[in-house]
Amino acid sequence: MFRLKYATANVFKYLTLLLGAFVSLVPIVVVLFASLKTNKEYGSTGPLTPPENWANFANYTKAFVEGKMLLGFGNTVFIVIVSIIGASLIGSMIAYVLNRFKFRGSKLLMGAFLLATLIPSVTTQVATFRIINAFHLVDTRFAPILLYLGTDIIAVYIFLQFLDTISESLDESAMLDGASYFTIYGRIILPLLAPAVVTVIIIKGVNVYNDFYTPFLYMPSENLQVISTALYKFKGPYGSQWEVICAAIMITIVPILIAFLSLQKYIYNGFAQGSEK
């Protein structure tokens, strides 16, 4: 009886995993098939019909050249690097203060962060745009960077989880040796937070990389396009070149896929270590 229950549970587990993998991979397969089809073939075949010519990379060439994706990659990389470095530093500093310093209003501060996260961002867009415009940052790369640098409550929580595993005796020993709070943070705490920093960099980096709304609203100039807004070039009022858009999507997937495969062990370790107390 026990073996039967164990076997049934195993079958259910693998069926669930296969179903999840199938649901996740089907959209990517559909986009890959569409990217290798001609315009006529795309309109006359189903989404799961394989392309007639697997070596048809004309859509990729058109997407990369006419979409100026190299320019988009350059702007995206600049914004992502500045944003994730700034967000990691700000998030780790906030977490360090909340974890190590006991002061009146710390819980209220955390509640304010949570409240700000729960408010739908669409309700504050007019006010946010007016603030960015008042700083004369509209149509510059620093508009989205400033918005991405805003406090990320998820990053703060990840850093707080890791800080709980770092003994305060390290801080006390450093203080006895004459270290200031900034020295303790920069030379002791921040290096020990390396797994958490990598986790936050991946999570924040993917969000910034995929964001379409913020660059589209705050950087309308063509020379400021990012990789997400480059896809919009092939969508017009009289029709869309979906096969070219699919090719551009596949191009945008490559860098993030390489980054994920290269850093996946740090992501898994970061979440696992952060959950331990």
Side-chain angles (χ1 to χ4, degrees), residues 168-180 184 188:
E168 293 188 24
S169 60
L170 291 174
D171 303 33
E172 295 167 358
S173 300
M175 291 184 72
L176 289 175
D177 291 336
S180 65
I184 295 171
I188 298 175

Side-chain angles (χ1 to χ4, degrees), residues 184-196:
I184 295 171
Y185 166 77
R187 295 191 178 182
I188 298 175
I189 300 298
L190 193 58
L192 292 174
L193 287 176

Side-chain angles (χ1 to χ4, degrees), residues 46-273:
L48 288 174
T49 306
E52 294 178 359
N53 182 9
W54 288 90
N56 176 26
F57 296 109
N59 294 328
Y60 287 83
T61 306
K62 186 176 183 179
F64 194 81
V65 176
E66 296 185 14
K68 297 181 179 178
M69 297 193 73
L70 193 60
L71 173 67
F73 273 120
N75 288 327
T76 302
V77 168
F78 176 78
I79 293 172
V80 168
I81 289 177
V82 176
S83 300
I84 60 177
I85 291 176
S88 299
L89 288 174
I90 293 173
S92 59
M93 287 181 182
I94 292 173
Y96 174 62
V97 171
L98 291 175
N99 183 267
R100 290 296 197 261
F101 297 88
K102 306 302 177 189
F103 57 93
R104 186 176 298 175
S106 60
K107 291 184 178 178
L108 183 64
L109 190 61
M110 282 298 296
F113 287 153
L114 277 174
L115 181 63
T117 305
L118 293 174
I119 296 175
S121 60
V122 67
T123 61
T124 60
Q125 286 304 307
V126 175
T128 304
F129 188 88
R130 293 187 67 177
I131 292 172
I132 296 296
N133 191 44
F135 286 116
H136 303 289
L137 292 178
V138 175
D139 212 17
T140 70
R141 295 184 187 89
F142 294 100
I145 287 174
L146 184 63
L147 295 174
Y148 295 140
L149 288 179
T151 303
D152 187 346
I153 192 65
I154 296 176
V156 173
Y157 267 109
I158 290 174
F159 286 126
L160 282 173
Q161 293 290 322
F162 272 79
L163 279 166
D164 284 340
T165 65
I166 301 174
S167 173
E168 293 188 24
S169 60
L170 291 174
D171 303 33
E172 295 167 358
S173 300
M175 291 184 72
L176 289 175
D177 291 336
S180 65
Y181 288 121
F182 286 103
T183 304
I184 295 171
Y185 166 77
R187 295 191 178 182
I188 298 175
I189 300 298
L190 193 58
L192 292 174
L193 287 176
V197 171
V198 174
T199 306
V200 170
I201 283 175
I202 295 297
I203 296 173
K204 188 80 176 179
V206 170
N207 286 335
V208 175
Y209 185 85
N210 290 332
D211 188 19
F212 171 81
Y213 177 76
T214 305
F216 184 73
L217 179 63
Y218 291 97
M219 298 193 304
S221 295
E222 188 175 356
N223 64 329
L224 293 176
Q225 70 170 23
V226 295
I227 202 65
S228 57
T229 55
L231 305 179
Y232 201 68
K233 282 187 173 181
F234 301 101
K235 190 176 187 311
Y238 303 107
S240 302
Q241 304 176 59
W242 289 111
E243 68 282 357
V244 182
I245 293 175
C246 289
I249 291 172
M250 293 306 298
I251 293 173
T252 61
I253 289 175
V254 173
I256 208 72
L257 182 63
I258 293 173
F260 175 77
L261 293 176
S262 305
L263 301 172
Q264 59 177 329
K265 67 176 183 180
Y266 296 104
I267 301 173
Y268 297 143
N269 290 339
F271 279 119
Q273 292 177 23

